[in-house]
Amino acid sequence: MRRGGFAHVIRNDAAPPDSALTLRLKAQKSFNAFAVGALVSAEVDGKPMLRQLLGNIGYGSGGLWKVHLGLGSGKIASQVSIQWPNGKKSNYGPYPAGANVPTLLQP
């Protein structure tokens, strides 16, 4: 996309909706309310996965403020760990693919 160009909406219909896990993180009592910079690690079918919550994704630098974990053929994230921006670490899970996970709060 070129600078100043039109925004486009792109939808991915390739993967079934229950083949991923989406996490919403929230930092309490912090200037960084969306926990930007948090590192999320998960184990899916014995394989490690690492994601970072970034705030500059999207056209015009608008983010979704969510962490998306594509599980592929895996059906469960057996362990989810979050390294929060304040340095604390939390462990969650297991979560099945497509689970409706409540917002995870920074300790």
Side-chain angles (χ1 to χ4, degrees), residues 23-107:
L23 304 174
R24 184 181 298 269
L25 311 180
K26 184 169 175 124
Q28 302 180 78
K29 301 177 186 174
S30 171
F31 67 91
N32 184 4
F34 296 107
V36 173
L39 291 173
V40 178
S41 60
E43 187 172 304
V44 179
D45 286 342
K47 298 176 186 171
M49 179 181 293
L50 181 66
R51 299 287 183 268
Q52 184 173 23
L53 180 58
L54 302 173
N56 61 346
I57 301 299
Y59 182 71
S61 297
L64 294 177
W65 312 112
K66 297 177 185 177
V67 177
H68 178 84
L69 301 169
L71 304 183
S73 61
K75 295 296 178 195
I76 193 164
S78 58
Q79 182 176 339
V80 176
S81 297
I82 301 174
Q83 179 75 40
W84 296 93
N86 67 0
K88 293 184 179 179
K89 188 173 181 178
S90 302
N91 295 311
Y92 303 94
Y95 294 121
N100 185 13
V101 179
T103 300
L104 302 176
L105 302 175
Q106 174 179 291

